[in-house]
Amino acid sequence: MRWRKVKQNPKSLTQIKNNQDSNSNLPQTLPNKLIQELTQSPSDSLQIASFLERGKAQVIDTFMIYLPLLYFLTYIVIGSAQGFRESAWAPFAGVLIYGILTSLLLTFKGQTPGKKAYSLWIVRENGKNVTLLFALLRFFAFLFSGVSIVGIFMPLWRKDKKALHDILLKTMVLKKG
Protein backbone atom coordinates (compact mmCIF):
# COMPACT_ATOMS: atom_id res chain seq x y z
CA MET A 1 0.00 0.00 0.00
CA ARG A 2 1.46 3.34 -0.99
CA TRP A 3 1.68 6.24 1.38
CA ARG A 4 -0.65 8.98 0.31
CA LYS A 5 -1.46 12.34 1.69
CA VAL A 6 -5.10 12.11 2.71
CA LYS A 7 -7.40 14.13 4.88
CA GLN A 8 -6.59 13.28 8.45
CA ASN A 9 -9.25 12.71 11.07
CA PRO A 10 -9.32 15.25 13.91
CA LYS A 11 -8.10 12.76 16.52
CA SER A 12 -4.90 11.90 14.69
CA LEU A 13 -4.36 15.53 13.70
CA THR A 14 -4.43 16.69 17.33
CA GLN A 15 -2.11 13.86 18.31
CA ILE A 16 0.35 14.93 15.65
CA LYS A 17 0.12 18.57 16.71
CA ASN A 18 0.77 17.57 20.32
CA ASN A 19 3.75 15.53 19.25
CA GLN A 20 5.05 18.39 17.14
CA ASP A 21 4.87 20.71 20.12
CA SER A 22 7.23 18.40 22.00
CA ASN A 23 9.51 17.91 18.99
CA SER A 24 9.50 20.81 16.55
CA ASN A 25 11.67 18.95 14.01
CA LEU A 26 8.81 16.68 12.89
CA PRO A 27 7.33 17.26 9.43
CA GLN A 28 3.97 18.98 9.04
CA THR A 29 2.33 16.06 7.22
CA LEU A 30 2.89 12.37 7.77
CA PRO A 31 2.19 9.32 5.61
CA ASN A 32 -1.27 7.80 6.02
CA LYS A 33 0.07 4.41 7.12
CA LEU A 34 2.08 5.99 9.92
CA ILE A 35 -0.96 8.00 11.06
CA GLN A 36 -3.04 4.79 11.13
CA GLU A 37 -0.45 3.09 13.32
CA LEU A 38 -0.35 6.08 15.64
CA THR A 39 -4.12 6.04 16.14
CA GLN A 40 -4.29 2.26 16.65
CA SER A 41 -1.62 1.93 19.32
CA PRO A 42 -1.66 3.34 22.85
CA SER A 43 1.87 4.68 22.42
CA ASP A 44 1.35 7.47 19.92
CA SER A 45 4.41 9.66 20.35
CA LEU A 46 6.87 10.29 17.55
CA GLN A 47 10.55 10.87 18.11
CA ILE A 48 13.57 11.17 15.91
CA ALA A 49 15.37 7.81 15.81
CA SER A 50 18.73 7.57 17.50
CA PHE A 51 21.96 6.46 15.88
CA LEU A 52 21.87 3.14 17.76
CA GLU A 53 18.32 2.30 16.66
CA ARG A 54 19.17 3.10 13.05
CA GLY A 55 22.30 0.96 13.27
CA LYS A 56 20.43 -2.01 14.71
CA ALA A 57 17.83 -1.75 11.97
CA GLN A 58 20.58 -1.73 9.33
CA VAL A 59 22.15 -4.86 10.84
CA ILE A 60 18.80 -6.67 10.67
CA ASP A 61 18.33 -5.58 7.05
CA THR A 62 21.80 -6.85 6.22
CA PHE A 63 21.10 -10.27 7.72
CA MET A 64 17.55 -10.60 6.37
CA ILE A 65 17.99 -9.18 2.86
CA TYR A 66 21.60 -8.75 1.81
CA LEU A 67 23.17 -11.99 3.08
CA PRO A 68 20.51 -14.29 1.56
CA LEU A 69 20.88 -12.33 -1.67
CA LEU A 70 24.65 -12.82 -1.65
CA TYR A 71 24.19 -16.54 -0.94
CA PHE A 72 21.77 -16.80 -3.88
CA LEU A 73 24.16 -14.95 -6.21
CA THR A 74 27.20 -16.91 -5.05
CA TYR A 75 25.95 -20.48 -5.04
CA ILE A 76 22.93 -20.52 -7.36
CA VAL A 77 23.66 -17.92 -10.03
CA ILE A 78 27.47 -18.15 -10.20
CA GLY A 79 27.97 -21.60 -8.69
CA SER A 80 30.90 -21.13 -6.29
CA ALA A 81 32.47 -18.73 -3.84
CA GLN A 82 35.63 -18.59 -5.94
CA GLY A 83 33.57 -17.65 -8.98
CA PHE A 84 31.93 -14.88 -6.98
CA ARG A 85 35.29 -13.53 -5.82
CA GLU A 86 36.67 -13.59 -9.35
CA SER A 87 33.60 -12.01 -10.91
CA ALA A 88 33.76 -8.33 -11.76
CA TRP A 89 29.99 -7.83 -11.86
CA ALA A 90 28.71 -9.99 -8.96
CA PRO A 91 29.46 -7.65 -6.02
CA PHE A 92 28.07 -4.68 -7.97
CA ALA A 93 24.96 -6.69 -8.90
CA GLY A 94 24.48 -7.73 -5.26
CA VAL A 95 24.56 -4.14 -4.01
CA LEU A 96 22.31 -2.96 -6.85
CA ILE A 97 19.70 -5.67 -6.23
CA TYR A 98 19.84 -4.98 -2.48
CA GLY A 99 19.22 -1.28 -3.19
CA ILE A 100 16.28 -2.09 -5.44
CA LEU A 101 14.73 -4.45 -2.87
CA THR A 102 15.04 -2.01 0.02
CA SER A 103 13.73 0.81 -2.19
CA LEU A 104 10.70 -1.27 -3.12
CA LEU A 105 10.02 -2.02 0.53
CA LEU A 106 10.33 1.67 1.45
CA THR A 107 8.05 2.67 -1.41
CA PHE A 108 5.24 0.21 -0.77
CA LYS A 109 5.51 -0.54 2.97
CA GLY A 110 7.36 2.49 4.30
CA GLN A 111 9.73 0.26 6.25
CA THR A 112 12.33 -2.41 5.73
CA PRO A 113 12.27 -5.46 8.05
CA GLY A 114 14.89 -3.89 10.31
CA LYS A 115 13.02 -0.61 10.52
CA LYS A 116 9.77 -2.45 11.24
CA ALA A 117 11.48 -4.33 14.10
CA TYR A 118 12.33 -1.03 15.78
CA SER A 119 9.20 0.90 14.68
CA LEU A 120 11.21 3.27 12.48
CA TRP A 121 9.79 5.16 9.51
CA ILE A 122 11.50 7.13 6.77
CA VAL A 123 9.61 10.36 6.15
CA ARG A 124 10.29 13.23 3.77
CA GLU A 125 10.31 16.63 5.43
CA ASN A 126 7.91 18.13 2.89
CA GLY A 127 5.31 15.37 3.36
CA LYS A 128 5.51 14.02 -0.18
CA ASN A 129 5.39 10.30 -0.93
CA VAL A 130 8.54 8.21 -0.85
CA THR A 131 8.63 7.10 -4.48
CA LEU A 132 10.74 4.32 -5.93
CA LEU A 133 13.07 6.75 -7.66
CA PHE A 134 13.45 8.80 -4.48
CA ALA A 135 14.12 5.65 -2.41
CA LEU A 136 16.79 4.54 -4.90
CA LEU A 137 18.37 7.98 -4.79
CA ARG A 138 18.37 7.78 -0.99
CA PHE A 139 20.05 4.37 -1.14
CA PHE A 140 22.85 5.69 -3.34
CA ALA A 141 23.22 8.71 -1.06
CA PHE A 142 23.45 6.20 1.83
CA LEU A 143 26.30 4.45 0.00
CA PHE A 144 28.03 7.81 -0.44
CA SER A 145 27.59 8.48 3.30
CA GLY A 146 29.07 5.08 4.06
CA VAL A 147 32.08 5.67 1.86
CA SER A 148 32.74 9.01 3.52
CA ILE A 149 32.44 7.34 6.98
CA VAL A 150 31.77 10.75 8.56
CA GLY A 151 28.37 10.88 6.85
CA ILE A 152 27.14 7.78 8.65
CA PHE A 153 28.34 8.98 12.08
CA MET A 154 26.84 12.48 11.79
CA PRO A 155 23.76 11.58 13.92
CA LEU A 156 26.08 11.19 16.91
CA TRP A 157 26.79 14.92 17.16
CA ARG A 158 23.85 16.57 15.37
CA LYS A 159 20.82 17.67 17.38
CA ASP A 160 18.41 16.60 14.63
CA LYS A 161 20.17 13.17 14.44
CA LYS A 162 20.43 13.26 10.65
CA ALA A 163 23.05 11.44 8.62
CA LEU A 164 24.56 12.95 5.48
CA HIS A 165 22.09 11.20 3.17
CA ASP A 166 19.18 12.53 5.28
CA ILE A 167 20.53 16.06 5.00
CA LEU A 168 21.11 15.79 1.25
CA LEU A 169 17.62 14.44 0.51
CA LYS A 170 15.72 16.18 3.31
CA THR A 171 14.45 13.01 5.00
CA MET A 172 14.23 11.96 8.61
CA VAL A 173 13.91 8.66 10.42
CA LEU A 174 11.13 8.71 13.00
CA LYS A 175 10.54 6.29 15.85
CA LYS A 176 7.04 5.50 16.99
CA GLY A 177 6.51 5.00 20.68
Side-chain angles (χ1 to χ4, degrees), residues 136-161:
L136 276 171
L137 186 61
R138 188 178 188 279
F139 176 76
F140 288 115
F142 168 76
L143 292 179
F144 176 73
S145 291
V147 169
S148 70
I149 302 281
V150 174
I152 292 292
F153 290 107
M154 286 177 79
L156 290 173
W157 62 80
R158 289 183 55 96
K159 286 184 181 180
D160 60 2
K161 298 179 185 174

PDB file of all heavy atoms in Angstrom, residues 136-161:
ATOM      1  N   LEU A 136      15.524   4.945  -4.287  1.00  0.00           N
ATOM      2  CA  LEU A 136      16.792   4.541  -4.904  1.00  0.00           C
ATOM      3  C   LEU A 136      17.850   5.632  -4.753  1.00  0.00           C
ATOM      4  O   LEU A 136      19.011   5.333  -4.454  1.00  0.00           O
ATOM      5  CB  LEU A 136      16.582   4.227  -6.389  1.00  0.00           C
ATOM      6  CG  LEU A 136      16.099   2.832  -6.723  1.00  0.00           C
ATOM      7  CD1 LEU A 136      15.731   2.732  -8.195  1.00  0.00           C
ATOM      8  CD2 LEU A 136      17.140   1.800  -6.377  1.00  0.00           C
ATOM      9  N   LEU A 137      17.446   6.866  -4.958  1.00  0.00           N
ATOM     10  CA  LEU A 137      18.370   7.984  -4.790  1.00  0.00           C
ATOM     11  C   LEU A 137      18.865   8.047  -3.345  1.00  0.00           C
ATOM     12  O   LEU A 137      20.056   8.269  -3.090  1.00  0.00           O
ATOM     13  CB  LEU A 137      17.675   9.282  -5.191  1.00  0.00           C
ATOM     14  CG  LEU A 137      18.524  10.533  -5.216  1.00  0.00           C
ATOM     15  CD1 LEU A 137      19.654  10.398  -6.230  1.00  0.00           C
ATOM     16  CD2 LEU A 137      17.660  11.735  -5.564  1.00  0.00           C
ATOM     17  N   ARG A 138      17.973   7.795  -2.401  1.00  0.00           N
ATOM     18  CA  ARG A 138      18.365   7.784  -0.992  1.00  0.00           C
ATOM     19  C   ARG A 138      19.338   6.646  -0.701  1.00  0.00           C
ATOM     20  O   ARG A 138      20.282   6.794   0.067  1.00  0.00           O
ATOM     21  CB  ARG A 138      17.133   7.666  -0.089  1.00  0.00           C
ATOM     22  CG  ARG A 138      17.457   7.833   1.375  1.00  0.00           C
ATOM     23  CD  ARG A 138      16.200   7.747   2.244  1.00  0.00           C
ATOM     24  NE  ARG A 138      16.485   8.081   3.614  1.00  0.00           N
ATOM     25  CZ  ARG A 138      17.022   7.243   4.495  1.00  0.00           C
ATOM     26  NH1 ARG A 138      17.322   6.007   4.146  1.00  0.00           N
ATOM     27  NH2 ARG A 138      17.248   7.628   5.743  1.00  0.00           N
ATOM     28  N   PHE A 139      19.136   5.495  -1.333  1.00  0.00           N
ATOM     29  CA  PHE A 139      20.054   4.371  -1.139  1.00  0.00           C
ATOM     30  C   PHE A 139      21.454   4.715  -1.644  1.00  0.00           C
ATOM     31  O   PHE A 139      22.447   4.437  -0.972  1.00  0.00           O
ATOM     32  CB  PHE A 139      19.523   3.113  -1.853  1.00  0.00           C
ATOM     33  CG  PHE A 139      20.479   1.959  -1.772  1.00  0.00           C
ATOM     34  CD1 PHE A 139      20.620   1.238  -0.604  1.00  0.00           C
ATOM     35  CD2 PHE A 139      21.252   1.600  -2.864  1.00  0.00           C
ATOM     36  CE1 PHE A 139      21.516   0.185  -0.517  1.00  0.00           C
ATOM     37  CE2 PHE A 139      22.136   0.552  -2.794  1.00  0.00           C
ATOM     38  CZ  PHE A 139      22.278  -0.164  -1.612  1.00  0.00           C
ATOM     39  N   PHE A 140      21.543   5.327  -2.823  1.00  0.00           N
ATOM     40  CA  PHE A 140      22.855   5.686  -3.342  1.00  0.00           C
ATOM     41  C   PHE A 140      23.493   6.804  -2.524  1.00  0.00           C
ATOM     42  O   PHE A 140      24.717   6.835  -2.356  1.00  0.00           O
ATOM     43  CB  PHE A 140      22.773   6.038  -4.831  1.00  0.00           C
ATOM     44  CG  PHE A 140      22.538   4.825  -5.681  1.00  0.00           C
ATOM     45  CD1 PHE A 140      21.357   4.689  -6.393  1.00  0.00           C
ATOM     46  CD2 PHE A 140      23.465   3.814  -5.752  1.00  0.00           C
ATOM     47  CE1 PHE A 140      21.119   3.563  -7.167  1.00  0.00           C
ATOM     48  CE2 PHE A 140      23.250   2.677  -6.517  1.00  0.00           C
ATOM     49  CZ  PHE A 140      22.071   2.556  -7.225  1.00  0.00           C
ATOM     50  N   ALA A 141      22.688   7.693  -1.970  1.00  0.00           N
ATOM     51  CA  ALA A 141      23.220   8.707  -1.062  1.00  0.00           C
ATOM     52  C   ALA A 141      23.706   8.041   0.231  1.00  0.00           C
ATOM     53  O   ALA A 141      24.716   8.460   0.811  1.00  0.00           O
ATOM     54  CB  ALA A 141      22.157   9.757  -0.762  1.00  0.00           C
ATOM     55  N   PHE A 142      23.009   6.979   0.671  1.00  0.00           N
ATOM     56  CA  PHE A 142      23.451   6.200   1.830  1.00  0.00           C
ATOM     57  C   PHE A 142      24.806   5.562   1.554  1.00  0.00           C
ATOM     58  O   PHE A 142      25.685   5.544   2.419  1.00  0.00           O
ATOM     59  CB  PHE A 142      22.397   5.139   2.172  1.00  0.00           C
ATOM     60  CG  PHE A 142      22.862   4.112   3.158  1.00  0.00           C
ATOM     61  CD1 PHE A 142      22.954   4.423   4.501  1.00  0.00           C
ATOM     62  CD2 PHE A 142      23.192   2.838   2.743  1.00  0.00           C
ATOM     63  CE1 PHE A 142      23.388   3.478   5.413  1.00  0.00           C
ATOM     64  CE2 PHE A 142      23.627   1.888   3.641  1.00  0.00           C
ATOM     65  CZ  PHE A 142      23.725   2.204   4.991  1.00  0.00           C
ATOM     66  N   LEU A 143      25.000   5.021   0.359  1.00  0.00           N
ATOM     67  CA  LEU A 143      26.296   4.448  -0.004  1.00  0.00           C
ATOM     68  C   LEU A 143      27.384   5.514   0.029  1.00  0.00           C
ATOM     69  O   LEU A 143      28.500   5.264   0.504  1.00  0.00           O
ATOM     70  CB  LEU A 143      26.232   3.797  -1.392  1.00  0.00           C
ATOM     71  CG  LEU A 143      25.379   2.542  -1.513  1.00  0.00           C
ATOM     72  CD1 LEU A 143      25.389   2.033  -2.952  1.00  0.00           C
ATOM     73  CD2 LEU A 143      25.845   1.460  -0.567  1.00  0.00           C
ATOM     74  N   PHE A 144      27.070   6.707  -0.466  1.00  0.00           N
ATOM     75  CA  PHE A 144      28.026   7.805  -0.435  1.00  0.00           C
ATOM     76  C   PHE A 144      28.363   8.173   1.012  1.00  0.00           C
ATOM     77  O   PHE A 144      29.524   8.415   1.351  1.00  0.00           O
ATOM     78  CB  PHE A 144      27.469   9.022  -1.191  1.00  0.00           C
ATOM     79  CG  PHE A 144      28.346  10.231  -1.121  1.00  0.00           C
ATOM     80  CD1 PHE A 144      29.534  10.282  -1.836  1.00  0.00           C
ATOM     81  CD2 PHE A 144      27.995  11.310  -0.334  1.00  0.00           C
ATOM     82  CE1 PHE A 144      30.357  11.392  -1.765  1.00  0.00           C
ATOM     83  CE2 PHE A 144      28.796  12.421  -0.263  1.00  0.00           C
ATOM     84  CZ  PHE A 144      29.988  12.459  -0.974  1.00  0.00           C
ATOM     85  N   SER A 145      27.352   8.202   1.885  1.00  0.00           N
ATOM     86  CA  SER A 145      27.585   8.479   3.304  1.00  0.00           C
ATOM     87  C   SER A 145      28.486   7.423   3.916  1.00  0.00           C
ATOM     88  O   SER A 145      29.360   7.736   4.729  1.00  0.00           O
ATOM     89  CB  SER A 145      26.267   8.510   4.079  1.00  0.00           C
ATOM     90  OG  SER A 145      25.495   9.595   3.734  1.00  0.00           O
ATOM     91  N   GLY A 146      28.256   6.169   3.540  1.00  0.00           N
ATOM     92  CA  GLY A 146      29.069   5.080   4.065  1.00  0.00           C
ATOM     93  C   GLY A 146      30.512   5.150   3.616  1.00  0.00           C
ATOM     94  O   GLY A 146      31.431   4.857   4.378  1.00  0.00           O
ATOM     95  N   VAL A 147      30.721   5.547   2.370  1.00  0.00           N
ATOM     96  CA  VAL A 147      32.081   5.671   1.855  1.00  0.00           C
ATOM     97  C   VAL A 147      32.811   6.808   2.563  1.00  0.00           C
ATOM     98  O   VAL A 147      33.997   6.709   2.874  1.00  0.00           O
ATOM     99  CB  VAL A 147      32.061   5.892   0.325  1.00  0.00           C
ATOM    100  CG1 VAL A 147      33.428   6.284  -0.202  1.00  0.00           C
ATOM    101  CG2 VAL A 147      31.578   4.631  -0.368  1.00  0.00           C
ATOM    102  N   SER A 148      32.109   7.875   2.856  1.00  0.00           N
ATOM    103  CA  SER A 148      32.745   9.012   3.515  1.00  0.00           C
ATOM    104  C   SER A 148      32.934   8.774   5.014  1.00  0.00           C
ATOM    105  O   SER A 148      33.587   9.571   5.668  1.00  0.00           O
ATOM    106  CB  SER A 148      31.919  10.275   3.287  1.00  0.00           C
ATOM    107  OG  SER A 148      30.717  10.202   4.010  1.00  0.00           O
ATOM    108  N   ILE A 149      32.390   7.727   5.570  1.00  0.00           N
ATOM    109  CA  ILE A 149      32.438   7.344   6.981  1.00  0.00           C
ATOM    110  C   ILE A 149      31.846   8.438   7.881  1.00  0.00           C
ATOM    111  O   ILE A 149      31.000   8.157   8.713  1.00  0.00           O
ATOM    112  CB  ILE A 149      33.877   7.003   7.449  1.00  0.00           C
ATOM    113  CG1 ILE A 149      34.477   5.882   6.616  1.00  0.00           C
ATOM    114  CG2 ILE A 149      33.918   6.660   8.929  1.00  0.00           C
ATOM    115  CD1 ILE A 149      34.045   4.501   6.960  1.00  0.00           C
ATOM    116  N   VAL A 150      32.274   9.651   7.729  1.00  0.00           N
ATOM    117  CA  VAL A 150      31.770  10.749   8.563  1.00  0.00           C
ATOM    118  C   VAL A 150      30.267  10.919   8.370  1.00  0.00           C
ATOM    119  O   VAL A 150      29.542  11.205   9.326  1.00  0.00           O
ATOM    120  CB  VAL A 150      32.519  12.059   8.234  1.00  0.00           C
ATOM    121  CG1 VAL A 150      31.930  13.239   8.971  1.00  0.00           C
ATOM    122  CG2 VAL A 150      33.989  11.912   8.552  1.00  0.00           C
ATOM    123  N   GLY A 151      29.789  10.712   7.143  1.00  0.00           N
ATOM    124  CA  GLY A 151      28.368  10.883   6.850  1.00  0.00           C
ATOM    125  C   GLY A 151      27.476   9.949   7.631  1.00  0.00           C
ATOM    126  O   GLY A 151      26.361  10.316   8.017  1.00  0.00           O
ATOM    127  N   ILE A 152      27.933   8.739   7.891  1.00  0.00           N
ATOM    128  CA  ILE A 152      27.143   7.780   8.653  1.00  0.00           C
ATOM    129  C   ILE A 152      27.122   8.142  10.135  1.00  0.00           C
ATOM    130  O   ILE A 152      26.124   7.944  10.816  1.00  0.00           O
ATOM    131  CB  ILE A 152      27.704   6.348   8.447  1.00  0.00           C
ATOM    132  CG1 ILE A 152      27.479   5.900   7.025  1.00  0.00           C
ATOM    133  CG2 ILE A 152      27.121   5.350   9.427  1.00  0.00           C
ATOM    134  CD1 ILE A 152      26.049   5.663   6.636  1.00  0.00           C
ATOM    135  N   PHE A 153      28.234   8.672  10.652  1.00  0.00           N
ATOM    136  CA  PHE A 153      28.338   8.978  12.082  1.00  0.00           C
ATOM    137  C   PHE A 153      27.834  10.367  12.458  1.00  0.00           C
ATOM    138  O   PHE A 153      27.876  10.736  13.628  1.00  0.00           O
ATOM    139  CB  PHE A 153      29.789   8.801  12.552  1.00  0.00           C
ATOM    140  CG  PHE A 153      30.211   7.365  12.563  1.00  0.00           C
ATOM    141  CD1 PHE A 153      31.089   6.882  11.612  1.00  0.00           C
ATOM    142  CD2 PHE A 153      29.710   6.491  13.512  1.00  0.00           C
ATOM    143  CE1 PHE A 153      31.469   5.561  11.621  1.00  0.00           C
ATOM    144  CE2 PHE A 153      30.083   5.169  13.526  1.00  0.00           C
ATOM    145  CZ  PHE A 153      30.968   4.694  12.582  1.00  0.00           C
ATOM    146  N   MET A 154      27.334  11.128  11.502  1.00  0.00           N
ATOM    147  CA  MET A 154      26.839  12.479  11.787  1.00  0.00           C
ATOM    148  C   MET A 154      25.711  12.520  12.822  1.00  0.00           C
ATOM    149  O   MET A 154      25.634  13.465  13.603  1.00  0.00           O
ATOM    150  CB  MET A 154      26.404  13.171  10.500  1.00  0.00           C
ATOM    151  CG  MET A 154      27.566  13.617   9.650  1.00  0.00           C
ATOM    152  SD  MET A 154      27.060  14.350   8.099  1.00  0.00           S
ATOM    153  CE  MET A 154      26.599  15.982   8.633  1.00  0.00           C
ATOM    154  N   PRO A 155      24.818  11.513  12.903  1.00  0.00           N
ATOM    155  CA  PRO A 155      23.761  11.582  13.920  1.00  0.00           C
ATOM    156  C   PRO A 155      24.284  11.599  15.358  1.00  0.00           C
ATOM    157  O   PRO A 155      23.561  11.985  16.270  1.00  0.00           O
ATOM    158  CB  PRO A 155      22.937  10.315  13.668  1.00  0.00           C
ATOM    159  CG  PRO A 155      23.188   9.972  12.260  1.00  0.00           C
ATOM    160  CD  PRO A 155      24.595  10.405  11.983  1.00  0.00           C
ATOM    161  N   LEU A 156      25.521  11.196  15.558  1.00  0.00           N
ATOM    162  CA  LEU A 156      26.075  11.186  16.913  1.00  0.00           C
ATOM    163  C   LEU A 156      26.264  12.586  17.483  1.00  0.00           C
ATOM    164  O   LEU A 156      26.170  12.786  18.684  1.00  0.00           O
ATOM    165  CB  LEU A 156      27.416  10.437  16.931  1.00  0.00           C
ATOM    166  CG  LEU A 156      27.324   8.936  16.726  1.00  0.00           C
ATOM    167  CD1 LEU A 156      28.710   8.331  16.599  1.00  0.00           C
ATOM    168  CD2 LEU A 156      26.559   8.279  17.855  1.00  0.00           C
ATOM    169  N   TRP A 157      26.542  13.578  16.642  1.00  0.00           N
ATOM    170  CA  TRP A 157      26.787  14.920  17.159  1.00  0.00           C
ATOM    171  C   TRP A 157      25.782  15.961  16.677  1.00  0.00           C
ATOM    172  O   TRP A 157      25.841  17.101  17.110  1.00  0.00           O
ATOM    173  CB  TRP A 157      28.212  15.381  16.846  1.00  0.00           C
ATOM    174  CG  TRP A 157      28.551  15.492  15.398  1.00  0.00           C
ATOM    175  CD1 TRP A 157      28.229  16.517  14.561  1.00  0.00           C
ATOM    176  CD2 TRP A 157      29.280  14.563  14.618  1.00  0.00           C
ATOM    177  NE1 TRP A 157      28.718  16.266  13.304  1.00  0.00           N
ATOM    178  CE2 TRP A 157      29.380  15.064  13.314  1.00  0.00           C
ATOM    179  CE3 TRP A 157      29.872  13.326  14.888  1.00  0.00           C
ATOM    180  CZ2 TRP A 157      30.023  14.411  12.293  1.00  0.00           C
ATOM    181  CZ3 TRP A 157      30.522  12.666  13.867  1.00  0.00           C
ATOM    182  CH2 TRP A 157      30.590  13.211  12.592  1.00  0.00           C
ATOM    183  N   ARG A 158      24.872  15.605  15.815  1.00  0.00           N
ATOM    184  CA  ARG A 158      23.854  16.566  15.367  1.00  0.00           C
ATOM    185  C   ARG A 158      22.627  16.493  16.272  1.00  0.00           C
ATOM    186  O   ARG A 158      22.202  15.419  16.665  1.00  0.00           O
ATOM    187  CB  ARG A 158      23.449  16.282  13.925  1.00  0.00           C
ATOM    188  CG  ARG A 158      24.544  16.627  12.925  1.00  0.00           C
ATOM    189  CD  ARG A 158      24.055  16.400  11.517  1.00  0.00           C
ATOM    190  NE  ARG A 158      22.837  17.107  11.216  1.00  0.00           N
ATOM    191  CZ  ARG A 158      22.778  18.287  10.605  1.00  0.00           C
ATOM    192  NH1 ARG A 158      23.874  18.879  10.232  1.00  0.00           N
ATOM    193  NH2 ARG A 158      21.622  18.860  10.349  1.00  0.00           N
ATOM    194  N   LYS A 159      22.020  17.639  16.549  1.00  0.00           N
ATOM    195  CA  LYS A 159      20.818  17.672  17.378  1.00  0.00           C
ATOM    196  C   LYS A 159      19.633  17.016  16.681  1.00  0.00           C
ATOM    197  O   LYS A 159      18.810  16.373  17.312  1.00  0.00           O
ATOM    198  CB  LYS A 159      20.462  19.106  17.746  1.00  0.00           C
ATOM    199  CG  LYS A 159      21.372  19.695  18.777  1.00  0.00           C
ATOM    200  CD  LYS A 159      20.913  21.076  19.166  1.00  0.00           C
ATOM    201  CE  LYS A 159      21.853  21.660  20.194  1.00  0.00           C
ATOM    202  NZ  LYS A 159      21.460  22.999  20.607  1.00  0.00           N
ATOM    203  N   ASP A 160      19.527  17.191  15.357  1.00  0.00           N
ATOM    204  CA  ASP A 160      18.411  16.600  14.628  1.00  0.00           C
ATOM    205  C   ASP A 160      18.654  15.141  14.257  1.00  0.00           C
ATOM    206  O   ASP A 160      17.811  14.507  13.643  1.00  0.00           O
ATOM    207  CB  ASP A 160      18.076  17.417  13.379  1.00  0.00           C
ATOM    208  CG  ASP A 160      19.241  17.515  12.404  1.00  0.00           C
ATOM    209  OD1 ASP A 160      20.304  16.919  12.652  1.00  0.00           O
ATOM    210  OD2 ASP A 160      19.071  18.197  11.375  1.00  0.00           O
ATOM    211  N   LYS A 161      19.803  14.584  14.620  1.00  0.00           N
ATOM    212  CA  LYS A 161      20.169  13.167  14.435  1.00  0.00           C
ATOM    213  C   LYS A 161      20.089  12.724  12.975  1.00  0.00           C
ATOM    214  O   LYS A 161      19.678  11.614  12.673  1.00  0.00           O
ATOM    215  CB  LYS A 161      19.308  12.282  15.318  1.00  0.00           C
ATOM    216  CG  LYS A 161      19.473  12.557  16.787  1.00  0.00           C
ATOM    217  CD  LYS A 161      18.591  11.677  17.623  1.00  0.00           C
ATOM    218  CE  LYS A 161      18.700  12.066  19.069  1.00  0.00           C
ATOM    219  NZ  LYS A 161      17.781  11.351  19.912  1.00  0.00           N
TER     220      LYS A 161
END
